[in-house]
Amino acid sequence: EKSVDYRSADRRQTMNGSVVTLLCLLGSRALAFVPPSPLVPPSPRSRTPELCSTIDRSQVQTSPSASGRGGSSSDQQGNAPIDVCIENLGKRLKGGPGTLSRDEVETVDAALRQIIDHVESSVMAEQNEGSKGDDNNDLRTAILEMDGQRVSSLIESGAEMSESDSELAFWAVVKEVDRCEEEDLPLPGDVPVVLHHIFDADLRHLLTREKQTTNVTCMQPDEAVGIESKAKRLNYIMDDGCHKDLPLAEGRRCEGGECCDKCSRNIFPTFATDVECNLEKFPELSSLTFNNLGKVRTSTILMFVRLIERVRRTIAQEYGLPLSLVLPLQAYSRKYVAGTTQKGGGGGEGDFVILHTDEATHSGYHYSCVLYLSTQGEDFEGGNFVFNDPVDEGDKSADIYDEDNSDGADMSLADAIRLVGRKLTPFHPTKGAAVIFSSGWENMHEVETITSGTRYAVPCFFTTCPVPDAAYDQMVQGKPKTNEDIADDWLHLLLAHREESPVESVGRVKELLMKWHYMCAPLTS
């Protein structure tokens, strides 16, 4: 303490950071004592766990100056400074004042100086990376001040919104929205501007993560004339169990839309982070629909929209489509509970989903996604998501069901019939994973029965059918012309916590989905 110049604010901040570092190191290596705050820019204090993790215990030795003064005991020479501190300060805490000799005090002092120097040099190295580092510090300041224009200017100048910056921005937006609602103020145009940058950054970060893609041949119902074909089509209409028998031909139907001619299946093991789909942090995610937002917290609504927008941008990226062409047609949270039967529409509980094609369910469904909020084997058993394909002609090895296979002996007749001539590709759901695929008959799929627990997922479906200009003309406020107009749409279509009738709810959601691109992308796009 005597050697510290407290007139220097930078030195004092570094010392504070080093003290926190030492406390973390002494706490049984529990480096999560001081987690970064979502509303405070990174600092020596908030970056303590990250800085500590960079200290190499085997290579960083105690300062020779201490041993040169005869200050370190022979059994401590060559130890890492962390170990020296822990050993001697532990001895001091246990024995009380006077326990440590002068030599041991000087040894601890030398080790502490090394830790302080490490923290200080790490911070300085980051700060001296150049103008980009300065821009990022300015970016965080602009985010906290909710200065959309400044955020845009910095990003255009080369600053990038990191994942931690994105989280900082997300919670800053939540705070601003809640403030405006509490004070009964209009939502400023800066809010959608910052949200747009969050969405841009989310896609950029996602593209660096693992993705597993399987290209498949686009398929559609075969319109060939023939008695057998007509009979199969009739069975398909009258009996869900005959869905797999529908005669198919190559090609993309994409009724009324502008799909590309590419069809595929994409698996993202880490589409969302654990925090983003945490049902304790965002409890309403387990049963959210756009029709009933009156009592849903701002943070949950914004996170749900953020995830759906990430899917939309991923679809546009994967299939080479203009972002403005891809619109959500349906999105909701789905709860699957073992031992229950689904009642009502898509959001109802149930423990399985029958084999189906999304585009057959709704002709406007052109691209689909299922995002998972729980993990198989931890939260539930069973419940695989399964792509169900016909076996290629002549490829008997791909036939899942084999009468000579002992596993088939316990199958019910219905299951045996279901599996004959079919190739099943199961996906085992994990929290944060997503499956994104084209919605045509090339991607028939089902959800196997959940045997125990509860499975949470977010199915969402996207269309490429353009919205007629006349539809916007019939709205009270048509296409937005300013960022303030966009903010008004965010407020009235998503974030206004108010009671509404079923008719009002349906009208609001319809307008929300038609305006989605205008709300989630800059005016320039």
Side-chain angles (χ1 to χ4, degrees):
E1 291 180 353
K2 294 178 181 177
S3 66
V4 175
D5 180 5
Y6 280 99
R7 292 172 297 179
S8 168
D10 291 340
R11 181 65 176 171
R12 186 162 61 251
Q13 183 186 40
T14 301
M15 282 296 298
N16 290 339
S18 68
V19 170
V20 175
T21 299
L22 179 59
L23 291 174
C24 287
L25 295 171
L26 290 173
S28 299
R29 317 294 196 276
L31 302 184
F33 280 178
V34 190
S37 165
L39 293 180
V40 179
S43 67
R45 172 186 167 92
S46 67
R47 292 183 63 244
T48 292
E50 178 187 343
L51 294 172
C52 292
S53 68
T54 66
I55 299 177
D56 190 328
R57 298 169 59 83
S58 63
Q59 295 181 12
V60 181
Q61 307 300 327
T62 53
S63 172
S65 60
S67 58
R69 295 191 304 266
S72 62
S73 58
S74 59
D75 61 339
Q76 290 183 350
Q77 290 184 14
N79 287 345
I82 299 171
D83 294 324
V84 171
C85 291
I86 290 174
E87 180 180 346
N88 286 285
L89 293 179
K91 178 180 177 180
R92 164 65 176 78
L93 289 171
K94 184 177 180 180
T99 304
L100 297 182
S101 67
R102 179 179 177 181
D103 290 347
E104 288 171 325
V105 171
E106 290 181 348
T107 301
V108 173
D109 179 67
L112 278 172
R113 289 178 184 279
Q114 283 189 273
I115 295 176
I116 292 170
D117 289 343
H118 172 80
V119 174
E120 187 172 43
S121 62
S122 297
V123 174
M124 292 301 295
E126 185 176 78
Q127 292 176 345
N128 292 332
E129 283 182 350
S131 59
K132 182 176 179 180
D134 294 337
D135 284 346
N136 280 341
N137 289 332
D138 291 342
L139 178 61
R140 296 180 190 111
T141 301
I143 287 171
L144 290 173
E145 294 175 352
M146 199 48 57
D147 186 343
Q149 184 176 357
R150 178 64 174 155
V151 170
S152 297
S153 176
L154 288 166
I155 289 177
E156 289 172 2
S157 299
E160 287 190 351
M161 188 177 281
S162 67
E163 291 196 39
S164 60
D165 293 337
S166 299
E167 292 311 301
L168 179 73
F170 175 81
W171 289 106
V173 168
V174 171
K175 183 178 179 181
E176 179 68 6
V177 172
D178 286 342
R179 182 189 71 83
C180 290
E181 183 174 22
E182 183 178 350
E183 299 178 12
D184 196 22
L185 298 172
L187 205 60
D190 296 294
V191 167
V193 171
V194 174
L195 282 169
H196 298 161
H197 289 301
I198 293 173
F199 300 152
D200 288 342
D202 281 352
L203 179 63
R204 180 166 49 81
H205 299 145
L206 178 65
L207 295 178
T208 67
R209 301 174 191 165
E210 180 185 358
K211 180 185 75 165
Q212 303 160 14
T213 297
T214 303
N215 293 319
V216 294
T217 302
C218 301
M219 303 298 290
Q220 60 182 329
D222 189 353
E223 302 297 336
V225 178
I227 296 177
E228 182 178 357
S229 178
K230 287 183 178 180
K232 287 184 176 181
R233 287 204 300 273
L234 182 60
N235 286 338
Y236 162 73
I237 294 171
M238 303 299 294
D239 184 357
D240 288 339
C242 292
H243 189 88
K244 63 184 178 63
D245 299 323
L246 178 69
L248 300 176
E250 293 186 8
R252 191 77 205 271
R253 171 169 283 187
C254 192
E255 185 174 327
E258 301 179 29
C259 307
C260 74
D261 58 1
K262 174 185 177 183
C263 294
S264 66
R265 303 165 182 175
N266 303 275
I267 295 174
F268 293 84
T270 314
F271 187 85
T273 66
D274 285 343
V275 173
E276 290 172 337
C277 49
N278 188 318
L279 295 182
E280 293 182 359
K281 198 173 191 68
F282 306 104
E284 302 95 339
L285 276 183
S286 64
S287 58
L288 192 147
T289 70
F290 285 129
N291 293 85
N292 188 12
L293 298 176
K295 297 181 180 180
V296 182
R297 286 176 292 187
T298 299
S299 58
T300 303
I301 296 172
L302 287 174
M303 181 54 71
F304 189 77
V305 172
R306 181 182 179 184
L307 294 171
I308 301 304
E309 177 63 10
R310 191 178 305 172
V311 175
R312 186 175 81 101
R313 290 172 180 243
T314 304
I315 289 171
Q317 172 80 20
E318 172 65 21
Y319 296 101
L321 299 170
L323 183 59
S324 60
L325 188 63
V326 183
L327 295 175
L329 201 57
Q330 179 72 284
Y332 54 90
S333 299
R334 174 77 189 271
K335 181 180 179 181
Y336 303 79
V337 182
T340 63
T341 301
Q342 181 177 342
K343 297 179 181 179
E349 295 181 6
D351 61 5
F352 75 99
V353 178
I354 196 170
L355 180 66
H356 66 285
T357 296
D358 291 338
E359 198 169 346
T361 304
H362 191 304
S363 62
Y365 291 173
H366 298 155
Y367 297 96
S368 306
C369 173
V370 184
L371 169 65
Y372 296 98
L373 305 179
S374 51
T375 298
Q376 186 186 66
E378 296 180 9
D379 306 303
F380 63 92
E381 299 292 342
N384 283 329
F385 177 95
V386 180
F387 286 112
N388 188 321
D389 303 301
V391 173
D392 293 337
E393 292 184 13
D395 185 8
K396 293 184 178 181
S397 63
D399 197 337
I400 297 300
Y401 176 72
D402 185 345
E403 293 181 357
D404 295 329
N405 190 328
S406 60
D407 292 339
D410 296 329
M411 284 186 183
S412 67
L413 178 60
D415 281 340
I417 294 174
R418 164 177 166 260
L419 297 179
V420 167
R422 307 299 293 180
K423 179 180 180 181
L424 306 188
T425 306
F427 173 71
H428 308 288
T430 57
K431 181 180 178 181
V435 183
I436 297 177
F437 52 96
S438 49
S439 303
W441 286 259
E442 68 282 348
N443 281 322
M444 290 186 186
H445 57 280
E446 58 194 314
V447 176
E448 294 179 338
T449 302
I450 298 169
T451 56
S452 67
T454 303
R455 176 185 187 268
Y456 293 100
V458 177
C460 42
F461 310 94
F462 297 79
T463 188
T464 59
C465 295
V467 178
D469 285 336
Y472 297 107
D473 296 337
Q474 295 173 4
M475 299 176 184
V476 175
Q477 179 174 301
K479 295 179 182 179
K481 297 180 175 61
T482 66
N483 288 325
E484 286 69 28
D485 291 343
I486 299 176
D488 286 342
D489 282 336
W490 273 93
L491 180 62
H492 296 299
L493 298 179
L494 274 172
L495 300 172
H497 294 89
R498 64 177 185 270
E499 296 293 331
E500 56 186 0
S501 69
V503 173
E504 291 172 329
S505 171
V506 170
R508 175 181 57 79
V509 173
K510 183 178 180 180
E511 184 172 342
L512 165 67
L513 299 179
M514 287 193 291
K515 280 188 169 182
W516 188 280
H517 178 73
Y518 293 101
M519 293 172 59
C520 294
L523 287 168
T524 53
S525 69

